[in-house]
Amino acid sequence: MCGIVGYIGSREAAPLLLNALKRLEYRGYDSAGMAVIKESLHVLKKKGSVSNLEELMKESGADMMGATLGIAHTRWATHGDPSDRNAHPHMNVANDIALIHNGIVENYSILKQELIAQRYVFKSDTDSEVLVHLIDRIWKADPSLDLEGAVRMALRHVEGAYGLCIISSREPDKIVVARKGSPLVIGIGTGEFFIASDAAPIVEHTNKVVYLADGEMAIVTRDNYTVKTIENVEQEKRVTELDFSLEKIEKGGFKDFMLKEIFEQPEVMRDVMRGRVRLEDGRVQLGGIEDYLDRLKQAKRIVICACGTSWHAGLIGEYLIEEFARIPVEVDYASEFRYRNPIVGSDDVVIVISQSGETADTLAALRLAKEKGAMVLGICNVVGSTIARETLCGIYTHAGPEVGVASTKAFTAQVIVLFMLAMALSKGRTISHDEIRLNLRELVEVPEKVSQILEQNDVIREIAIKLKDASNALYLGRGYNFPVALEGALKLKEISYIHAEGYPAAEMKHGPIALIDEDMPVIFIATRDNTYTKILSNIEEVRSRKGKVIAIASEGDREVSRLADHVIYIPQASAPVLPLLTVIPLQLLAYHIATLRGCNVDRPRNLAKSVTVE
Ligand code: G6P
């Protein structure tokens, strides 16, 4: 999510680091900062784009000139709004240690309480700041340690994910880095080293890199680097030669951001659940709504308002919350809700879902719901966005910046959040502890199953070749897969400009069946759930009218393969988690059809990533 860079050598560090930060801008950011050592630490940080930091450096960066070692960071907020004070680096009180961090410290609130009790003063709302105070405390308690030792000891207390770079003016010729769950790469130059969260900012300086593995640290000095495990065992590392173009690296080796974001989903899904799904004790912990959970459970009704893909996630939320928490749910287009004088009041909870947190209609729905006295909960991806700020409480999706206009990873992250919310609302009320545990187990198995589906990318592309010249397409599903049919159709029309419609499969005979002929591909989501046999009958109906059938089916299903022209198999799973699996082949299918038609999938015509006007 965030971007990390570090430099140690003989060149002027500040301009080099600034340039490196610009190379990481594609990741999305909300603030940036830098620390260099020139005798003491010099730190500058600024909300907004890297150019804001650049301006600040022009005004007050004179002290930084001459430094040949430093670290810098672009932040994409997870804990604490985007602001100057929440930007990295974070410093200890004595201002002689600076740290930048990627990832999430899951146990930060316990650590923070301990540190506050020991009179540590926090200057930001981030989870990351606890790390620098923790290192400081350990180092003070045992001055015989060096920076590396203090970092190593500190990491023993940390749960969660990190990519870390730490410098100290007490050891001014060294950068200490550590990785767990958040990538870090060291670039090897001549008499200089570069550190970064991916190779994009390094490639213009050197093509020799060493990738750190999870659980590894590195100590980088001006003339050497040593890689060790966090347990202090030295590691032999292979030097890799990069042969990527810069552009390719920015997209993580993928052709487009959309494809990168589709493939990122297993990792994103784990991020969404990290620290929240407590399998051992069969519960979920959602910090942003904890104080309101009792009130939420007492809701007479839940109204979900959203637009576009987020509205589709809302429909799945309806199925989940009604099935498990037994609270009636209505799902409304935010644009309709705001203009139809809706009946909502203090007994209702309104959930607004928005990737960007800035969609004008969703924001207006939120304000109207508040005005009418409803309790409003937000599910947003962008931290500190307007919707996130204006809701009473909320759950961030933590999907990282989504660049492709057609939403993919933000959608699956929203569905996971809604799943966790449904479990939180059910706990102690409507379903047993064991049932919750069982559901959560199904959920944590999803990322691995998604990886298996992604392995079929080539098979899906072959099917796309057959469909690329279609003018229309019909997507059909039932139950939990009905909203997925809508989302599959939306993906196709957004990026390939093929007219597509999604329907609940049983509705086909009330209209769409009139359209079916040999030119109409029909994409069925025909997984094994309680409507499976009904779907088989619908497939027969399409076949007898010569429609082309593409089916998403459960692994091992022979019946569907007998009936369909093409089958994409997904691993077995329980019905409530199925949308997280069945949507993946539909994203890939739309992607391949669109690229085969020569469309720009990242920036489809007439569409905007964030619709801030009505
Ligand atoms: C636009 C985007 C969609 C998105 C919708 C809602 O139409 O192109 O991908 O689903 O807005 O956006 P939000 O940020 O509120 O989720």
Side-chain angles (χ1 to χ4, degrees), residues 397-411:
T397 43
H398 292 325
E402 192 175 63
V403 179
V405 166
S407 186
T408 52
K409 64 174 182 170
F411 170 77

Side-chain angles (χ1 to χ4, degrees), residues 307-310 353-357 359 405 407 494 608-609 611:
C307 304
T309 289
S310 299
I353 309 177
S354 174
Q355 186 285 129
S356 61
T359 301
V405 166
S407 186
E494 280 179 312
K609 183 75 192 148
V611 183

Side-chain angles (χ1 to χ4, degrees), residues 24 96 151 169-170 185 198 203 257 262 266 279 283 348 350 363 376 405 408 416 455 479 604-605 609:
L24 288 173
D96 57 10
V151 171
S169 53
R170 287 190 244 167
V185 51
D198 67 51
V203 73
F257 281 110
I262 292 173
L279 247 195
R283 66 185 180 95
D348 299 313
V350 172
L363 182 59
V376 186
V405 166
T408 52
I416 291 184
E455 279 168 21
R605 70 184 183 204
K609 183 75 192 148

